[in-house]
Amino acid sequence: MTDVALDVRTGTATGGARPKLDRPLDPRTAIILLLVLAGGLLYVAYSLYSDVEATGAKPTTFLPYLLLFVALLIALGFEFVNGFHDTANAVATVIYTHSLPAQIAVVWSGSFNFLGVLLSSGAVAFGIISLLPVELILQVGS
């Protein structure tokens, strides 16, 4: 325990390197983030265009696209806020015990949270639907 106690003379912890959380953001990080976001938006636009083109439908107004964009924006905003809470809960102990530096712990948490969304099979959603009475599911239109 004495190796992690504060050194009275210097006022700093004597055990391990502390994360430097007060340094400014690297501009390369912001550029990479913006490029990833732009790539994601281009992918969504291309997928939407190719899906509509495959149906052969001719859109007469941009209202459905606008509503889809608003719905996607709301869903992504919710996931962003939810990711903050997941990351805070997941990495608090890792950062507190200095098992990993804070930046690496947060990046790992975000990456695996994203992979979980991409690789999930929907088993939980299908499990919840299987709990509903069949009459409720079949009577949806009435």
Side-chain angles (χ1 to χ4, degrees):
M1 258 340 240
T2 59
D3 59 333
V4 293
L6 288 177
D7 188 359
V8 178
R9 293 168 291 186
T10 62
T12 60
T14 57
R18 307 286 295 184
K20 294 177 178 45
L21 300 176
D22 57 348
R23 65 181 173 187
L25 181 67
D26 188 11
R28 293 178 292 190
T29 306
I31 291 171
I32 290 171
L33 176 66
L34 291 175
L35 287 174
V36 168
L37 286 175
L41 286 174
L42 288 174
Y43 176 73
V44 167
Y46 173 74
S47 296
L48 182 62
Y49 174 77
S50 64
D51 288 345
V52 170
E53 196 67 30
T55 62
K58 300 291 180 202
T60 58
T61 180
F62 287 105
L63 183 62
Y65 297 114
L66 181 65
L67 292 175
L68 178 65
F69 178 74
V70 169
L72 285 175
L73 193 65
I74 290 170
L76 288 175
F78 172 76
E79 286 298 324
F80 187 73
V81 171
N82 190 33
F84 272 126
H85 297 127
D86 287 347
T87 298
N89 292 329
V91 301
T93 305
V94 175
I95 293 172
Y96 181 74
T97 59
H98 302 291
S99 300
L100 286 174
Q103 291 86 356
I104 293 174
V106 170
V107 168
W108 273 27
S109 175
S111 300
F112 286 113
N113 201 0
F114 181 70
L115 283 175
V117 170
L118 285 180
L119 301 177
S120 67
S121 64
V124 173
F126 289 123
I128 291 172
I129 288 176
S130 69
L131 296 174
L132 295 173
V134 177
E135 298 84 25
L136 180 67
I137 296 172
L138 295 178
Q139 302 283 336
V140 171
S142 60

